[in-house]
Amino acid sequence: MPELRQFTRAPAGPGVLTATVPREFVHRVAVAEVLLTGWTRTDADRFTITAQWPRSHQLHVSPDGSAYEPLLVAETVRQCGALLAHAAYEVPLGHQFVLRELRVDTCPEHLAVGAAPAEPVIDITIGEVRRRAGRPVALRYDAVVRLGGERIATGGIDVTWTNESVYRRLRGGRTADVGALRLPQPPPTLLPADTVGRALRADILLSPAGRPGRWRLRVDTAHPVFFDHPLDHIPGMLLLEAARQAVRAHGGDESRVPVSFHATFHQYAELDRPVWMEVSAEDGADVQVVALQGESVAFECRVGAVAG
């Protein structure tokens, strides 16, 4: 494991060098997908993490380039947990992480893209460190995201991890050769791009399923963001984006803008079996979306939306 470094980053400016944290610490292969730039411990289980958000991104910036997507906040908060697990709690690289719960609430009026990349500061409070045989095996933490001193979002995550040998047993051999899985062809029919708020065909995750409030999930394992590296299951961020698109498409109200996500991941969503996204309930501005695989609910998410 690389030497652990605790570091803070000075504000960018002439003569000041900046860098991202090691990509291995946030479980990314592409350096361009690493959002975090530094961290420091402020108390026993409190940390401050710095980040940088790009002004342009295939998924995390709105198609017109005017605003950061709320799921960029979710990915930033997710990366914080991976970083701290490795750098602060000494979880070995190579352990397999499993996202159990994720919530993020954003203030869209503060997510405008500016004249330079945004540099948010994330305050992390660890609420629980679960241990087994004296070693940490899970974290639950809360996050407050600030930009220019203004609170722009809050979030929280519950994540667990295990070593590779245990993970292989849990997955029943599915990790042996991901390339050998017989993956179903994505449905050829897509929802219109403007219906789901996406500009690129590759980013449209929903296909019509013949009835309102239900769609077939489209999974492309060559997608450069969702599948930054090979995976043996459908990643959580893809399911969150599918929930976002479902809310945009539901009821034909394309002006509805999702701003909050409260998600629970019940089981692995397998790559080689169809997944159906459904709107299961509505309560005012909140829409409940579930991902069904066979007879099981693999994922559910309460999405809060506002008029765009």
Side-chain angles (χ1 to χ4, degrees):
M1 184 171 180
E3 179 184 356
L4 299 177
R5 296 179 298 141
Q6 181 172 330
F7 57 94
T8 56
R9 181 180 52 78
V16 176
L17 301 179
T18 63
T20 62
V21 302
R23 59 185 182 174
E24 295 84 358
F25 282 11
V26 296
H27 307 163
R28 288 300 184 192
V29 171
V31 174
E33 298 301 323
V34 179
L35 302 173
L36 308 185
T37 57
W39 70 283
T40 186
R41 189 189 296 265
T42 59
D43 205 342
D45 288 310
R46 293 178 181 268
F47 304 86
T48 294
I49 296 176
T50 53
Q52 186 180 83
W53 290 344
R55 296 173 64 200
S56 176
H57 191 276
Q58 177 176 342
L59 278 175
H60 294 323
V61 174
S62 61
D64 64 3
S66 67
Y68 292 111
E69 293 278 0
L71 287 182
L72 174 61
V73 180
E75 172 62 10
T76 303
V77 173
R78 182 204 68 78
Q79 289 191 15
C80 288
L83 169 68
L84 294 178
H86 293 305
Y89 293 94
E90 301 187 8
V91 176
L93 295 174
H95 274 41
Q96 299 293 322
F97 282 55
V98 180
L99 190 58
R100 300 295 187 186
E101 296 181 8
L102 177 147
R103 59 177 170 79
V104 63
D105 297 272
T106 68
C107 301
E109 65 272 19
H110 296 307
L111 292 179
V113 174
E119 299 196 333
V121 175
I122 307 99
D123 292 321
I124 300 289
T125 300
I126 306 296
E128 181 183 11
V129 182
R130 297 194 289 279
R131 300 178 184 274
R132 186 175 300 128
R135 296 182 179 182
V137 295
L139 284 179
R140 180 176 54 80
Y141 60 93
D142 296 310
V144 175
V145 184
R146 292 185 171 85
L147 193 57
E150 189 86 37
R151 178 186 291 209
I152 65 168
T154 58
I157 278 180
D158 192 330
V159 63
T160 66
W161 53 81
T162 188
N163 64 45
E164 289 187 84
S165 62
V166 171
Y167 182 75
R168 284 195 298 269
R169 291 198 299 273
L170 289 173
R171 297 294 288 133
R174 283 181 172 269
T175 63
D177 186 3
V178 176
L181 291 175
R182 295 173 60 87
L183 304 182
Q185 286 294 110
T189 306
L190 293 74
L191 293 184
D194 56 354
T195 300
V196 298
R198 286 299 172 204
L200 300 180
R201 177 184 175 89
D203 296 337
I204 301 173
L205 302 181
L206 303 181
S207 178
R211 80 169 195 239
R214 179 180 169 92
W215 304 268
R216 172 82 178 268
L217 183 66
R218 305 181 75 255
V219 179
D220 177 6
T221 57
H223 194 284
V225 179
F226 295 128
F227 291 89
D228 167 78
H229 53 281
L231 295 169
D232 61 24
H233 59 277
I234 298 172
M237 293 305 297
L238 188 151
L239 294 171
L240 285 167
E241 171 62 20
R244 187 199 74 84
Q245 293 187 18
V247 170
R248 286 291 301 263
H250 181 54
D253 185 3
E254 298 164 14
S255 66
R256 191 185 314 203
V257 179
V259 297
S260 68
F261 300 82
H262 290 209
T264 302
F265 301 84
H266 295 291
Q267 63 184 48
Y268 295 102
E270 305 296 355
L271 291 168
D272 56 350
R273 298 171 57 203
V275 174
W276 304 91
M277 305 298 299
E278 288 190 359
V279 170
S280 62
E282 288 187 78
D283 181 12
D286 290 347
V287 180
Q288 188 80 6
V289 179
V290 298
L292 303 171
Q293 192 161 59
E295 300 299 318
S296 301
V297 175
F299 158 87
E300 60 183 328
C301 185
R302 178 165 57 85
V303 183
V306 298

